[in-house]
Each structure stands twice: as structure tokens, then as C-alpha cells.
Amino acid sequence: MAVLLRTSMTSEEAADLLRGHVTRRAVGPLAERIQAPDARLRAALSGAMMMGVASQRYLLRMPDLEAADLEDILRIIRPVLRALLAPEESPKVTEGGPAEVSKRRLKDSVGRT
């Protein structure tokens, strides 16, 4: 798989092979399990994230990812993947969510000056 990933960066034929493989073996089956109208996009995004992490950690050997403990990587990425793959179980970002709270705090602090 690593050879195919490397080759797909410079060969359209290899890229087609990799696209087909990932779509058939990962995106399609994963999308079938996601309970959301945009299931295929969610499956594709989660695959892209995982391939990005794997390629940066094991192929490119990016220092921070290579040195990180696998448990730390999983601890940080798990909530993001859960939000993509199980949206019905993930906390909803709604009005009053983190962005709204930050806006209110900023507004309050500006109002005090």
C-alpha cells in the first residue's frame, strides 16, 4: 500500500488504482454504516484524515507525528472521527456552542473597557 500511495503521486494509473481500491474497500462500506444524508462525504473525509495521518507518520516521518505515542494520536483524533462517523452520537455544535461562548466573552470584555 505504501508503494501504491507513493507512486500515485506521480502516476495517474496508480492514482486510479488507489482511488478505486479506497472507494470500494473503505468509503463504500463505511458510508453504509453512517446514519447521515452525507454519509459518503463523511466516509471520504474520515479516510482522507486517516491516510493523511498514516502517510505523515510512516512515510514522510513528520517529526511530531513520528515521535507521538499512538495512544496520544488516538486520544486526540477519536472525537473528530466520531463526529464524522457517528454524528447522531456526537455533541451538536449549536447556538451557545464554543464559538458562541467565545463571541460572548469577547463582547463582554470589550464592553468593560
Side-chain angles (χ1 to χ4, degrees):
M1 187 64 129
V3 171
L4 185 56
L5 182 59
R6 282 188 185 114
T7 308
S8 71
M9 299 299 156
T10 58
S11 164
E12 189 57 39
E13 185 178 341
D16 284 343
L17 247 164
L18 184 59
R19 263 192 300 273
H21 178 76
V22 169
T23 300
R24 277 190 313 280
R25 301 291 300 239
V27 174
L30 192 54
E32 291 174 7
R33 296 172 179 235
I34 299 172
Q35 303 297 312
D38 53 359
R40 287 194 66 84
L41 177 57
R42 289 172 176 275
L45 286 168
S46 66
M49 288 176 58
M50 295 308 296
M51 284 186 77
V53 170
S55 65
Q56 288 198 16
R57 181 175 166 96
Y58 299 110
L59 297 177
L60 297 173
R61 294 188 174 132
M62 298 300 286
D64 296 308
L65 283 172
E66 186 180 34
D69 184 69
L70 182 58
E71 289 304 314
D72 288 332
I73 293 171
L74 293 174
R75 175 182 51 80
I76 293 169
I77 202 167
R78 190 175 288 125
V80 176
L81 291 173
R82 185 174 294 124
L84 283 170
L85 302 176
E88 71 282 357
E89 297 173 16
S90 298
K92 302 290 183 220
V93 177
T94 60
E95 188 173 332
E100 281 298 314
V101 170
S102 294
K103 286 180 194 174
R104 276 193 300 248
R105 285 183 185 154
L106 178 62
K107 185 178 174 182
D108 290 347
S109 67
V110 170
R112 285 187 221 144
T113 57

